[in-house]
Amino acid sequence: MRQGGSRTSIVEVILAILLPPLAVFLHDGIGTSFWINIILTLLFVLPGIIHALLVVTDTI
């Protein structure tokens, strides 16, 4: 049982690596994080993946 109410799943982490904008959309919906991730992913894929992992794991 996880403490702290974190709802990060393995599927979200895998999606954050394979399809970063989809992972952010499923986690937060369409908002600022989603649009930032779209821009980061379009410019360079690696920053998009890093941002998606940070959003999905609730680090930012």
Side-chain angles (χ1 to χ4, degrees):
M1 185 173 190
R2 286 185 271 190
Q3 297 294 327
S6 176
R7 59 183 201 117
T8 302
S9 68
I10 299 298
V11 174
E12 286 180 323
V13 172
I14 292 170
L15 279 176
I17 295 169
L18 297 177
L19 298 167
L22 180 60
V24 173
F25 171 74
L26 292 175
H27 188 77
D28 282 346
I30 294 181
T32 307
S33 293
F34 174 75
W35 293 111
I36 289 172
N37 192 270
I38 288 283
I39 292 168
L40 287 172
T41 303
L42 288 176
L43 292 174
F44 301 101
V45 176
L46 187 60
I49 292 172
I50 293 169
H51 179 260
L53 287 171
L54 291 174
V55 170
V56 166
T57 58
D58 290 326
T59 305
I60 59 170

